[in-house]
């Protein structure tokens, strides 16, 4: 049996979480077009008969700005050091930038094997693809480059074969029926936050965290979720609630549908907004949220 941990590294927004979901065959990590969507490390698990590949979906590598981003960054460094291999993802649409060079340099310094995927090729012309493949090769990290579309699930098979080859012999770390190491409460909170991210702009998505107060199983096929959306200021609270409560209602409805789909049961969702000043700079709050 072969098993191991693959750290998925890359700038914010390159498609790391989308890829982890695609390879694990389920929604493990939430996805949005806002940077800093992924705040915690998440394990996504892909299984075969005699192999188990644990993908470590990481926050995007970036320069820390507050207690939250400092924790995110140090998490990335620890996970890279602990993995059997690293998969670096670059954004084919945006091309190679200083952020990619910064990550490539960090990866070159480790003894961990590295492979590189150029994502979002569904949006690229052949000429543009050639250009970005060359620029990726110029990063001089990893020995092979895989063009993929995480969203359209193309090019994933050769990549997966290569990842499997990198696995050392070892036992399964997770029950093969599990797609992820997240608790139900974390997954529920994240699915709600994903709907907030879809509908908010500028600084608001970064200021929101969802905190689950309780999840009660009312019937075999019905759960009741009570959750708070934390924001940092009264004006953010106003934005999240919206005129006549329209925004929070839309978020709640969309989140409830998504939860029902993911959990396969009926969901009652009681979602309210609370101001929690400076939670991103508050180590105790971050501990409570499990962002370590
Ligand atoms: P992360 O920050 O690296 O985890 O990126 P996400 O997985 O959250 O994705 C960021 C954005 O890129 C989302 O809007 C995704 O839908 C989009 N995206 C991810 N993969 C692809 C892809 O293969 N093609 C296209 N066109 N968009 C993608
Ligand atoms: Mg992500």
């Amino acid at each position: 049996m072969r098993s191991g941990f693959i750290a998925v590294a890359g700038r914010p927004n390159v498609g790391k979480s989308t890829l982890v979901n695609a390879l694990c065959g389920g929604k493990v990590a939430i996805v949005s077009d806002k940077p800093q969507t992924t705040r915690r490390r998440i394990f996504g698990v892909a299984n075969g008969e005699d192999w188990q590949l644990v993908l470590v979906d990481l926050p995007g590598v970036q320069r820390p700005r507050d207690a939250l981003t400092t924790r995110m960054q140090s998490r990335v460094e620890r996970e890279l050091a602990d993995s059997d291999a690293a998969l670096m993802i670059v954004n084919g649409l945006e091309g190679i930038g200083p952020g990619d060079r910064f990550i490539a340099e960090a990866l070159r310094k480790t003894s961990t094997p590295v492979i590189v995927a150029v994502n979002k090729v569904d949006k690229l012309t052949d000429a543009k693809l050639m250009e970005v493949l060359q620029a990726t090769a110029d990063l001089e990290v990893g020995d092979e480059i895989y063009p993929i579309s995480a969203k359209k699930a193309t090019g994933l098979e050769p990549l997966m074969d290569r990842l499997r080859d990198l696995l050392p012999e070892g036992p399964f770390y997770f029950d093969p029926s599990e797609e992820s190491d997240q608790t139900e409460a974390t997954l529920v909170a994240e699915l709600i936050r994903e709907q907030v991210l879809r509908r908010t702009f500028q600084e608001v998505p970064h200021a929101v965290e969802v905190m689950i107060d309780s999840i009660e199983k009312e019937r075999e096929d019905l759960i009741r979720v009570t959750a708070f959306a934390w924001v940092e200021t009264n004006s953010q609270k106003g934005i999240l609630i919206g005129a006549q409560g329209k925004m929070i209602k839309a978020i709640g409805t969309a989140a409830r549908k998504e939860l029902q789909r993911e959990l396969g049961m009926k969901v009652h969702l009681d979602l309210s907004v609370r101001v929690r000043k400076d939670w991103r700079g508050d180590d105790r709050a971050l501990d409570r949220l499990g962002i370590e």
Side-chain angles (χ1 to χ4, degrees):
M1 289 208 295
R2 295 159 87 85
S3 62
F5 291 77
I6 312 277
V8 183
R11 280 189 292 139
N13 227 25
V14 297
K16 298 179 294 298
S17 295
T18 306
L19 180 67
V20 169
N21 290 340
L23 295 181
C24 296
K27 188 142 178 187
V28 168
I30 62 168
V31 167
S32 91
D33 59 358
K34 314 288 190 302
Q36 286 187 46
T37 295
T38 307
R39 288 174 173 160
R40 300 166 181 77
R41 175 209 66 198
I42 300 168
F43 288 154
V45 187
N47 296 289
E49 213 139 87
D50 55 357
W51 56 269
Q52 180 169 74
L53 207 151
V54 184
L55 291 148
V56 188
D57 184 18
L58 295 169
V61 176
Q62 57 175 356
R63 209 176 292 281
R65 278 198 304 269
D66 49 24
L68 173 65
T69 43
T70 302
R71 285 182 182 217
M72 285 161 55
Q73 182 56 33
S74 86
R75 169 56 82 185
V76 170
E77 284 162 17
R78 274 178 289 156
E79 294 299 335
L80 279 176
D82 285 350
S83 295
D84 298 298
L87 170 60
M88 176 175 174
I89 305 192
V90 300
N91 185 340
L93 259 182
E94 285 181 4
I96 302 300
D100 300 301
R101 280 188 277 276
F102 171 75
I103 295 166
E105 200 174 312
L107 289 173
R108 273 202 304 268
K109 284 187 202 142
T110 69
S111 53
T112 320
V114 180
I115 55 177
V116 185
V118 175
N119 190 30
K120 310 198 186 185
V121 301
D122 55 294
K123 293 276 187 188
L124 300 185
T125 59
D126 286 349
K128 179 77 189 147
L129 175 61
M130 292 312 286
E131 198 180 295
V132 67
L133 285 173
Q134 183 56 52
T136 307
D138 292 343
L139 286 174
E140 293 185 337
V141 63
D143 40 24
E144 275 162 279
I145 301 172
Y146 293 84
I148 61 166
S149 167
K151 196 172 187 171
K152 300 267 151 77
T154 54
L156 302 187
E157 253 175 57
L159 174 65
M160 197 66 171
D161 288 344
R162 181 78 182 99
L163 293 176
R164 264 195 301 261
D165 287 344
L166 289 168
L167 296 178
E169 280 184 19
F172 283 11
Y173 296 96
F174 294 92
D175 185 322
S177 69
E178 289 176 8
E179 276 161 9
S180 162
D181 68 327
Q182 285 183 106
T183 62
E184 184 179 54
T186 306
L187 179 65
V188 168
E190 288 287 275
L191 289 170
I192 297 170
R193 189 164 64 90
E194 185 175 49
Q195 297 306 321
V196 175
L197 293 173
R198 291 219 175 148
R199 291 170 179 77
T200 53
F201 303 94
Q202 291 167 337
E203 99 288 0
V204 181
H206 303 301
V208 175
E209 179 64 41
V210 174
M211 175 90 181
I212 301 297
D213 186 52
S214 66
I215 299 179
E216 281 157 36
K217 197 155 196 169
E218 301 224 319
R219 284 199 319 255
E220 207 38 53
D221 61 343
L222 170 68
I223 59 169
R224 181 176 297 276
V225 176
T226 310
F228 300 113
W230 281 3
V231 290
E232 294 193 316
T233 64
N234 280 320
S235 86
Q236 291 162 356
K237 182 175 176 180
I239 291 168
L240 218 54
I241 291 174
Q244 285 104 40
K246 269 199 187 126
M247 176 72 115
I248 194 69
K249 201 162 173 213
I251 291 168
T253 305
R256 185 172 49 77
K257 285 192 185 142
E258 187 68 9
L259 288 168
Q260 292 187 163
R261 216 160 57 86
E262 289 302 320
L263 303 175
M265 60 176 90
K266 284 219 176 82
V267 176
H268 281 309
L269 173 62
D270 177 3
L271 177 64
S272 45
V273 184
R274 293 239 168 130
V275 177
R276 169 93 194 211
K277 290 223 159 64
D278 191 36
W279 67 263
R280 283 181 286 179
D282 180 347
D283 280 300
R284 275 187 37 221
L286 295 172
D287 285 343
R288 240 174 105 194
L289 290 165
I291 300 175
E292 42 192 31

